[in-house]
Amino acid sequence: MASTSIHNGEGSGQLRPQSSNPSTHHEHGTIEPGEIAVGVVIGRASEYFDFFVYALASVLVFPAVFFPNEPKLEGTLYAFVIFAFAFLARPIGTTIFMAIQKHYGREVKLTLALFMLGFSTAGIALLPTYEHIGVWAIILLSLLRVGQGVALGGAWDGLPSLLAMNAPPEKRGWYAAMGQLGAPLGFVIAASLFAYMLATLTTADFLEWGWRFPFYVAFAINVVALFSRLRLVSAPEYAKLLDERELEPAGVVELATTQGRNIIIGALAALASYALFHLVTVFPLSWIKLYSLREASDFLVIQIWGGLIMAVGILVSGVVADRFGRRNTLGSMALLIAILSAFVPALMNGGESGQNTFILIGFALLGLSYGQAAGAVTANFKTRYRYTGAALTSDLAWLVGAGFAPLVALGLSAHFGMAYVSFYLLSGAVGSLAALSLNRALEARDD
């Protein structure tokens, strides 16, 4: 079933446009997978930058400016609760905006979604703090965070699925990895901005106005990304290719009733990656901020190096996956993540050298795993369901694997010890291995 739905027997998926104008794309008017990959990276990098600006602010800013009367731990936990709202809202956003696309088209949907994302991000940048308007600041922050989640769900453009279906069979792992580079790129830029602000501003200035600057930058990047992605998906060549591949919205109720098994397996298959995602980015920064004498700016520098290592790992995963198979790669990385989970307490409690080791190794494994996490089993979807199925699978993977990871990890480590973070990460790895094994067994039965 999987092998027949990925490629549809159409070679590399190049398509000649209706127009004979050679300046539209290439001289011969064909669309290469590399062009689609660039579009995916641009779109995902802007989304991840926005994502990580909020994530880092949840540790470095929000406990102090929105929960100033709470102890530091409780303030951070409350900030992580609001952080999770976006992941709860993403599937709702996907459902709403799929309906908008059905009635008004792809360009209208993407414009509304990215406008909503920009409005929510700019709203946070301009938001009065608890000191000025009291509990209303927390309420407005929560609403704007929900707005970000709904918008991110609506920003799905189908390009990752199009890339998977048009990549040459022998390079599907490579092109899948290319599409994932937006994550480390967005993190490195966001972390660099915050590290610079922390290193150059006094604490008072940073908490008063400095923290708002990254949100303004995120808003500006969203505007640029909006026009870039609109130019891409509205081009006749891309529109025709999306239509030819049947990458159009399907009814969510129909999808859930006919493809529910594939959605669940797809969401769980990459659980190890998504769990590790926040356990090397957001959680350790919060733990260092609360329980260590290390400067947050210095720790961010280590994480920036980790982000660069992650980018290399993503590219390596493409080579490995094309040689050994995407699902074999994902399963092997889940096993290595399970092994890493056993060393979390020793490394995080092992001083700066131990913490740095955990961050760098964690980012390396994250890159190798996350590089193949998107769409590893979405080929199971029938073609007409793949567009919506891939979007909802991604939403649920983020919700189950990553949405509550900082909250759970910090709560467990603070109240029960770091060993419980090991069990949490291990459960994600076991979930991935179980889902991949079940998927393989079901494919064998169906064959």
Side-chain angles (χ1 to χ4, degrees):
M1 177 165 62
S3 61
T4 58
S5 61
I6 291 181
H7 197 52
N8 293 342
E10 293 188 25
S12 65
Q14 294 178 354
L15 180 68
R16 294 190 180 278
Q18 294 174 316
S19 171
S20 60
N21 183 359
S23 64
T24 304
H25 279 283
H26 282 303
E27 183 179 353
H28 302 293
T30 59
I31 298 175
E32 299 289 345
E35 291 181 84
I36 306 174
V38 170
V40 174
V41 172
I42 291 173
R44 297 302 171 267
S46 64
E47 291 175 6
Y48 275 109
F49 176 75
D50 196 296
F51 172 91
F52 279 117
V53 164
Y54 188 97
L56 296 175
S58 293
V59 176
L60 301 171
V61 180
F62 295 161
V65 301
F66 291 108
F67 303 100
N69 299 326
E70 301 293 337
K72 291 183 179 180
L73 172 61
E74 283 71 16
T76 305
L77 292 173
Y78 291 148
F80 283 163
V81 170
I82 299 176
F83 173 76
F85 287 174
F87 298 92
L88 293 168
R90 277 183 70 153
I92 299 172
T94 295
T95 303
I96 293 172
F97 279 94
M98 287 293 177
I100 291 175
Q101 180 174 340
K102 270 188 173 182
H103 289 89
Y104 301 104
R106 188 178 295 109
E107 294 88 347
V108 172
K109 182 195 87 162
L110 191 59
T111 301
L112 289 176
L114 293 181
F115 179 81
M116 184 176 186
L117 180 60
F119 175 83
S120 300
T121 301
I124 295 172
L126 298 169
L127 193 62
T129 64
Y130 187 92
E131 181 183 357
H132 295 96
I133 58 174
V135 71
W136 279 105
I138 300 172
I139 294 172
L140 291 174
L141 178 66
S142 301
L143 292 174
L144 291 168
R145 182 58 176 165
V146 170
Q148 285 186 318
V150 172
L152 285 170
W156 180 258
D157 51 25
L159 290 179
S161 296
L162 184 62
L163 178 61
M165 298 173 76
N166 285 270
E170 71 279 4
K171 290 187 177 181
R172 287 202 182 107
W174 174 257
Y175 282 108
M178 288 287 290
Q180 300 291 77
L181 285 174
L185 181 61
F187 175 78
V188 167
I189 297 174
S192 298
L193 267 177
F194 273 104
Y196 176 78
M197 302 296 283
L198 287 170
T200 57
L201 296 178
T202 65
T203 300
D205 285 342
F206 175 73
L207 293 178
E208 183 178 351
W209 58 267
W211 66 271
R212 301 176 187 273
F213 180 73
F215 285 93
Y216 291 127
V217 175
F219 173 74
I221 289 177
N222 280 331
V223 173
V224 174
L226 169 61
F227 289 104
S228 175
R229 293 169 72 179
L230 278 178
R231 180 177 177 273
L232 191 66
V233 302
S234 63
E237 295 83 3
Y238 282 91
K240 185 176 179 182
L241 189 52
L242 286 164
D243 292 341
E244 187 170 279
R245 293 299 196 180
E246 299 181 57
L247 291 177
E248 296 292 339
V252 174
V253 174
E254 180 186 0
L255 177 72
T257 54
T258 62
Q259 306 290 307
R261 183 185 79 182
N262 292 330
I263 293 175
I264 294 172
I265 292 175
L268 296 179
L271 196 59
S273 283
Y274 288 101
L276 182 61
F277 203 97
H278 283 156
L279 294 188
V280 295
T281 54
V282 184
F283 161 68
L285 181 63
S286 67
W287 196 84
I288 291 295
K289 181 76 172 172
L290 291 169
Y291 299 112
S292 173
L293 297 177
R294 296 185 69 173
E295 292 291 336
S297 57
D298 294 338
F299 190 73
L300 280 171
V301 171
I302 299 299
Q303 290 187 305
I304 290 167
W305 282 108
L308 297 174
I309 292 173
M310 178 184 174
V312 174
I314 286 174
L315 296 177
V316 171
S317 79
V319 178
V320 173
D322 284 330
R323 182 168 182 179
F324 300 103
R326 292 180 66 188
R327 297 179 202 180
N328 289 335
T329 302
L330 201 56
S332 299
M333 291 306 109
L335 183 60
L336 290 177
I337 290 171
I339 294 172
L340 175 66
S341 69
F343 295 93
V344 172
L347 293 175
M348 285 300 292
N349 292 318
E352 291 191 13
S353 60
Q355 293 157 4
N356 294 349
T357 300
F358 171 69
I359 293 299
L360 298 179
I361 293 177
F363 267 105
L365 291 181
L366 179 60
L368 291 167
S369 178
Y370 188 70
Q372 302 303 313
V377 298
T378 52
N380 291 354
F381 289 106
K382 294 179 180 179
T383 305
R384 65 183 298 261
Y385 294 120
R386 178 174 291 197
Y387 182 81
T388 307
L392 283 177
T393 297
S394 176
D395 292 341
L396 293 177
W398 278 111
L399 174 60
V400 175
F404 294 94
L407 175 67
V408 173
L410 182 60
L412 288 175
S413 62
H415 292 103
F416 303 104
M418 193 66 70
Y420 284 83
V421 179
S422 294
F423 292 128
Y424 181 77
L425 183 56
L426 178 63
S427 68
V430 171
S432 286
L433 292 170
L436 290 168
S437 298
L438 177 60
N439 184 69
R440 190 182 301 274
L442 290 172
E443 281 188 342
R445 186 196 69 180
D446 293 340
D447 291 340

